[in-house]
Amino acid sequence: MTSHSISAPSGATNAGGTPFASSNLVWRPAAERFHSQLDWLDSWHSFSFAGHVDPAWMGFGPLRVINDDTIAAGRGFGMHPHRDMEIITVMVEGQINHRDSMGHAEVLQAGEVQRMSAGTGIVHSEVNEGQTPCRLLQIWIEPGTLGIAPAYEQKPFAIGEHWTPLIDPQGSGGAMAIARPVRLWRAQPRAGQRLPLRLATGAHGWLQVIAGSAELLFPAAEPRQPPGGTQPPERVQAPGLGRGDGLGFGGPGQPVAAEPGIELQAGAQGADLLLFELA
């Protein structure tokens, strides 16, 4: 399986007037993800996972796993070990019951986020003890330092139309911190709403569509506005993104990543989006 580069439309430039580097945008179509299906589990893997291995999709920088899991009521993952990994669970629908070797026995509800530092080693289970199927995104990020002490935290987040920080190195804005300088935001823009791509210029990043759809908007080469500047600048659209699609900005060996001036526009049903800034 090969990666797909999205080219900026002909003539599109960044805010400084230089052409976009199309190789900086790597598209991961939802339908081309790896798929694991059991009688109780429907799981889509953005990157190589378990028995699914492709050297072209081993991860994206320190981002190693994005698994989109739907788990049947009364079923789940029994006790299993992890070490030296930062594990983030974004609960989308329903609930999951978590137990671990640190003594935690917690219920993670829709809208909550859990972060674990596996560090020197943890054992945990994730079982849907609710009455309906649940859906979650489990994310693995390589830690900046190996052999740290295991840690656990979970929080509810009120997600609105603009970017809400979930993970931040300093815990800014009520976010949680992990053992790597990575930022993660979630937003649920309404139909037609525009959001700036909240990545530092030159930063590597990853956009994951949880639900709905969105389009990438590039600044036109020569924005045209009516007298008085009462309308937003002209934009140029790139191909749309739907549920399960991923989009990488930059990557190993690429000197430039996020460009200034890119926006996202939610589709007709709105969108539910995750955005990573990776370091």
Side-chain angles (χ1 to χ4, degrees):
M1 184 176 298
T2 57
S3 63
H4 301 265
S5 292
I6 295 181
S7 297
S10 178
T13 64
N14 65 22
T18 57
F20 281 97
S22 61
S23 62
N24 286 344
L25 300 178
V26 180
W27 180 35
R28 182 58 159 157
E32 294 187 11
R33 294 173 298 172
F34 307 108
H35 189 207
S36 297
Q37 182 136 31
L38 303 172
D39 62 341
W40 59 272
L41 174 67
D42 188 19
S43 183
W44 291 89
H45 318 300
S46 294
F47 307 115
S48 294
F49 186 80
H52 303 282
V53 179
D54 185 334
W57 291 107
M58 298 306 295
F60 193 81
L63 184 56
R64 283 290 173 258
V65 167
I66 300 179
N67 286 351
D68 190 335
D69 294 342
T70 299
I71 302 170
R75 306 294 295 274
F77 301 95
M79 297 296 282
H80 58 280
H82 295 283
R83 65 175 300 128
D84 288 325
M85 193 64 69
E86 298 298 293
I87 301 173
I88 301 165
T89 300
V90 177
M91 203 68 202
V92 179
E93 299 171 4
Q95 69 171 62
I96 199 79
N97 291 69
H98 165 94
R99 293 177 176 82
D100 66 40
S101 53
M102 293 180 282
H104 299 102
E106 309 290 346
V107 180
L108 190 65
Q109 303 279 1
E112 291 190 288
V113 178
Q114 175 197 85
R115 67 96 182 169
M116 290 191 299
S117 292
T120 53
I122 61 166
V123 179
H124 78 132
S125 65
E126 301 158 293
V127 178
N128 178 5
E129 297 181 15
Q131 301 301 308
T132 60
C134 70
R135 182 183 174 208
L136 59 88
L137 269 68
Q138 186 163 111
I139 297 151
W140 295 5
I141 296 173
E142 292 182 337
T145 303
L146 301 180
I148 63 175
Y152 179 93
E153 185 178 7
Q154 76 179 63
K155 289 183 67 172
F157 289 89
I159 307 300
E161 298 176 347
H162 302 284
W163 296 115
T164 296
L166 307 180
I167 300 294
D168 180 87
Q170 285 76 46
S172 301
M176 299 182 288
I178 62 172
R180 181 132 195 163
V182 164
R183 292 177 171 83
L184 172 62
W185 301 271
R186 185 178 178 184
Q188 295 175 334
R190 65 186 184 280
Q193 180 188 342
R194 291 181 177 182
L195 282 175
L197 187 68
R198 190 169 182 171
L199 293 176
T201 300
H204 294 167
W206 185 271
L207 176 71
Q208 188 72 27
V209 182
I210 298 174
S213 62
E215 292 180 320
L216 216 58
L217 303 180
F218 297 90
E222 296 181 1
R224 295 188 297 272
Q225 290 181 296
T230 58
Q231 298 295 322
E234 180 184 357
R235 313 295 284 183
V236 177
Q237 292 182 203
L241 301 168
R243 172 173 166 154
D245 285 341
L247 187 66
F249 299 84
Q254 295 184 1
V256 179
E259 300 277 359
I262 301 177
E263 291 183 318
L264 296 162
Q265 181 168 336
Q269 304 302 316
D272 192 351
L273 308 169
L274 286 179
L275 179 64
F276 299 81
E277 184 176 280
L278 304 169

